[in-house]
Amino acid sequence: MAQMKIEDIRALSPDQQDDAILNLKKERFNLRFQRATGQLENTSRLREARRDIARIKTVAAQTRVKKK
């Protein structure tokens, strides 16, 4: 999965954003296990997943503020 772009995240509904966060958290969990067992080849993906989660949460917070 490639890095998510802000425009793509804004196009998602709140439910889709929640699903994306959940999937990224699962992926990050699996990546951490792969790193611990020495099977992880693309170590930068851990950082990308963490930043994607933060990016989605930021956009979600911004949209909540706009709705008020």
Side-chain angles (χ1 to χ4, degrees):
M1 182 179 200
Q3 188 176 15
M4 297 185 79
K5 301 215 183 304
I6 294 291
E7 301 86 39
D8 299 336
I9 296 170
R10 286 195 177 120
L12 298 174
S13 71
D15 288 337
Q16 290 172 324
Q17 289 175 352
D18 291 341
D19 290 343
I21 289 173
L22 186 64
N23 290 335
L24 285 166
K25 284 185 176 183
K26 287 179 184 178
E27 178 186 358
R28 200 167 150 245
F29 179 79
N30 291 329
L31 290 170
R32 287 195 332 248
F33 262 89
Q34 289 178 18
R35 184 179 62 185
T37 58
Q39 297 174 351
L40 184 61
E41 293 179 14
N42 185 4
T43 56
S44 65
R45 185 60 195 135
L46 268 167
R47 183 178 186 179
E48 290 173 8
R50 186 176 69 239
R51 289 183 175 193
D52 282 345
I53 291 169
R55 198 172 287 121
I56 294 170
K57 285 184 174 184
T58 300
V59 169
Q62 289 172 347
T63 55
R64 276 197 306 272
V65 169
K66 284 183 182 178
K67 288 184 179 182
K68 287 186 178 182

